Amino acid sequence: MKNTIFLAGIFFLLLRPANAQTNLSMRASQYQLEILGPAGLASINFDSRFPKKESGLGFRIGLGFSPLGAFGKSCNSGTQISLPAGFNYLIGKNTHYFELGAGGVLAIISATKRGCPDFEERFFSDNTQSYTFITLGYRHQPFQKKGLTYRAFVSPLFQTGFSTKLWGGVSLGHRF
């Protein structure tokens, strides 16, 4: 429950500066379609920098979707809607950046539990409400102009009571 409240707080704090143009530079802002990221099978994210430069500290917020049990053996069937939020830091220049990030995901799960004798070894349960992630990866984005962005990353997922799940993904975006 504490994780859920914490993640909801981060999500709303990140939304607040987005409405106050004076507090946010909107530098290197972009929308990304992410596949196999921390939010599940697919997500749409907004990403921007806090300082008025291409690199440095930034944030991301999004909306994700994942069908449960659609791709093989699973203890659940149904749907997961995810709200990822986090901070990231870009190191690099011109168009090539190393990305370091961390955040959390609030998961809303509509699932039906199936019989699973080894359920304790699974990452998700019927009661899953939140988990955290870190991100390490490569990002390519056009320097000081609009255009296509892409990134590839590894993103371990952490949830209390479960072992760490090694995860990763790719995204394609548009900088505006």
Side-chain angles (χ1 to χ4, degrees):
M1 182 66 173
K2 288 180 186 178
N3 285 342
T4 303
I5 293 169
F6 175 73
L7 291 174
I10 287 176
F11 189 76
F12 289 113
L13 284 175
L14 290 175
L15 285 176
R16 186 172 175 260
N19 292 328
Q21 296 283 329
T22 58
N23 294 340
L24 182 63
S25 70
M26 299 300 283
R27 183 64 136 184
S29 296
Q30 57 190 281
Y31 287 104
Q32 303 169 341
L33 172 60
E34 189 171 88
I35 306 298
L36 295 177
L41 180 64
S43 65
I44 297 173
N45 298 281
F46 173 76
D47 185 286
S48 189
R49 305 291 98 219
F50 287 117
K52 291 186 176 186
K53 59 182 187 174
E54 302 291 312
S55 59
L57 184 63
F59 70 95
R60 65 175 266 173
I61 57 175
L63 177 65
F65 167 81
S66 190
L68 301 175
F71 304 105
K73 188 176 179 183
S74 175
C75 292
N76 295 321
S77 63
T79 305
Q80 174 183 319
I81 303 296
S82 306
L83 301 171
F87 297 99
N88 52 39
Y89 194 86
L90 298 182
I91 301 167
K93 56 185 177 179
N94 296 331
T95 61
H96 305 283
Y97 297 91
F98 177 68
E99 180 178 345
L100 299 164
V105 177
L106 180 62
I108 303 163
I109 298 174
S110 171
T112 304
K113 185 176 176 183
R114 298 185 216 170
C116 269
D118 60 345
F119 184 71
E120 290 73 32
E121 296 177 16
R122 302 288 179 205
F123 187 73
F124 296 107
S125 69
D126 289 338
N127 297 324
T128 299
Q129 293 298 314
S130 64
Y131 53 95
T132 57
F133 64 90
I134 59 173
T135 303
L136 303 167
Y138 169 78
R139 181 187 295 205
H140 181 274
Q141 66 186 23
F143 185 66
Q144 296 185 344
K145 61 182 178 179
K146 297 177 183 180
L148 184 67
T149 67
Y150 56 88
R151 57 197 273 269
F153 55 90
V154 294
S155 186
L157 307 178
F158 307 96
Q159 183 183 11
T160 305
F162 292 88
S163 59
T164 301
K165 184 173 186 178
L166 185 58
W167 199 245
V170 296
S171 71
L172 187 62
H174 184 266
R175 180 175 169 175
F176 56 93

